Amino acid sequence: MEIEISSCEHLMYVSEIQQEMYDSAQRRGTGIAKRSIEYLTKKISDGNAVVATENGEWVGFCYIETWSHGQFVANSGLIVSPNYRNRGVATLIKNKVFRLSREKYPNAKVFGLTTGLAVMKINSDLGYKPVIYSELTQDEEFWSGCKNCVNYEILMKKERKNCLCTAMLFVPENNNKVNGTEIQQSEIDYCNGEKESRLSV
């Protein structure tokens, strides 16, 4: 299985990724806000996502968002294909996208909102801590992204102070280590004119 920083080579999977995001949210009755094909295409093309594949099939996905002028970074949309779940894929992808976030935005606070216990465990292992919503970005564009979530009405009734999602935050210290490993400057490649950044897992 390959877990790579996204590039134009991965655009063939965008429809499958979007559909699984939607289907997963419907099955769980909570979570993942719907993203358009155009939005996901830009994330993939710009190298702001991580894509896992095996034998030409899409396996998993996660992307980076920045808020408050780069002061906050979110690793969003973590999803694994049903055929590849319970194999530790989510942990590998989350580690990869977290490294990418730390490399691109070393001084930013990295945060996440999730209802999944497995994701909470992964975040905790990476150094995230549970926090109240007021410690997250207050960027209106970020919160407007929750409008497509089935729990948006609950969020607004509680005046964005809390919801069903648990807020978790990583605050960078004065080092560039992730799980005890020094982050290295990635190699920069090009694919059809698009910049591609690759990191080893």
Side-chain angles (χ1 to χ4, degrees), residues 111-115 120 123 128-136 143 161 163-169:
F111 74 98
L113 285 170
T114 183
T115 58
M120 291 180 204
N123 285 348
Y128 288 66
K129 304 294 183 184
V131 295
I132 57 177
Y133 281 25
S134 62
E135 292 192 41
L136 306 181
W143 294 102
K161 293 179 180 178
C163 191
L164 299 188
C165 283
T166 296
M168 302 189 75
L169 183 70

Side-chain angles (χ1 to χ4, degrees), residues 3-5 96 99-100 103 183-187 197-201:
I3 301 178
E4 301 175 308
I5 308 306
K96 185 88 165 182
R99 284 175 172 270
L100 180 62
E103 180 191 63
I183 298 176
Q184 302 295 328
Q185 178 66 35
S186 68
E187 296 179 0
S197 177
R198 297 179 184 273
L199 301 173
S200 60
V201 175

Side-chain angles (χ1 to χ4, degrees), residues 104-122:
K104 286 193 166 188
Y105 307 98
N107 298 316
K109 296 178 180 180
V110 187
F111 74 98
L113 285 170
T114 183
T115 58
L117 290 176
V119 175
M120 291 180 204
K121 174 63 167 59
I122 296 170

Side-chain angles (χ1 to χ4, degrees), residues 83-94:
N83 295 332
Y84 293 90
R85 289 175 184 169
N86 302 312
R87 290 174 46 179
V89 175
T91 300
L92 295 175
I93 292 174
K94 189 71 170 156

Side-chain angles (χ1 to χ4, degrees), residues 6 177 184:
S6 65
K177 292 185 177 180
Q184 302 295 328

Side-chain angles (χ1 to χ4, degrees), residues 68-88:
S68 302
H69 306 289
Q71 295 179 45
F72 289 87
V73 174
N75 299 156
S76 302
L78 177 63
I79 192 76
V80 176
S81 171
N83 295 332
Y84 293 90
R85 289 175 184 169
N86 302 312
R87 290 174 46 179

Side-chain angles (χ1 to χ4, degrees), residues 49-61:
V50 166
V51 182
T53 59
E54 185 170 87
N55 299 322
E57 293 185 4
W58 165 74
V59 174
F61 177 78

Side-chain angles (χ1 to χ4, degrees), residues 7-200:
S7 72
C8 53
E9 296 175 359
H10 300 111
L11 291 176
M12 67 178 74
Y13 305 115
V14 68
S15 294
E16 294 177 73
I17 291 169
Q18 187 209 37
Q19 187 61 50
E20 184 52 41
M21 283 181 167
Y22 176 79
D23 291 345
S24 180
Q26 292 299 303
R27 287 192 296 268
R28 291 164 55 192
T30 186
I32 307 172
K34 187 176 181 180
R35 300 303 185 200
S36 68
I37 289 289
E38 293 76 18
Y39 184 88
L40 296 176
T41 293
K42 181 168 177 55
K43 290 294 180 185
I44 292 172
S45 298
D46 290 349
N48 286 321
V50 166
V51 182
T53 59
E54 185 170 87
N55 299 322
E57 293 185 4
W58 165 74
V59 174
F61 177 78
C62 191
Y63 62 88
I64 294 174
E65 296 179 295
T66 60
W67 308 102
S68 302
H69 306 289
Q71 295 179 45
F72 289 87
V73 174
N75 299 156
S76 302
L78 177 63
I79 192 76
V80 176
S81 171
N83 295 332
Y84 293 90
R85 289 175 184 169
N86 302 312
R87 290 174 46 179
V89 175
T91 300
L92 295 175
I93 292 174
K94 189 71 170 156
N95 276 307
K96 185 88 165 182
V97 77
F98 182 74
R99 284 175 172 270
L100 180 62
S101 299
R102 296 285 290 119
E103 180 191 63
K104 286 193 166 188
Y105 307 98
N107 298 316
K109 296 178 180 180
V110 187
F111 74 98
L113 285 170
T114 183
T115 58
L117 290 176
V119 175
M120 291 180 204
K121 174 63 167 59
I122 296 170
N123 285 348
S124 180
D125 289 344
L126 289 170
Y128 288 66
K129 304 294 183 184
V131 295
I132 57 177
Y133 281 25
S134 62
E135 292 192 41
L136 306 181
T137 178
Q138 297 306 305
D139 193 315
E140 289 297 329
E141 188 176 355
F142 168 75
W143 294 102
S144 68
C146 294
K147 289 180 179 178
N148 292 318
C149 178
V150 294
N151 298 316
Y152 183 69
E153 187 175 337
I154 298 174
L155 176 69
M156 297 312 294
K157 281 184 178 179
K158 296 189 175 184
E159 299 178 333
R160 290 194 334 206
K161 293 179 180 178
N162 58 67
C163 191
L164 299 188
C165 283
T166 296
M168 302 189 75
L169 183 70
F170 173 89
V171 179
E173 298 176 346
N174 295 323
N175 62 64
N176 289 322
K177 292 185 177 180
V178 177
N179 288 342
T181 302
E182 192 77 22
I183 298 176
Q184 302 295 328
Q185 178 66 35
S186 68
E187 296 179 0
I188 303 300
D189 302 313
Y190 288 87
C191 174
N192 294 338
E194 296 287 348
K195 183 182 287 186
E196 178 183 11
S197 177
R198 297 179 184 273
L199 301 173
S200 60

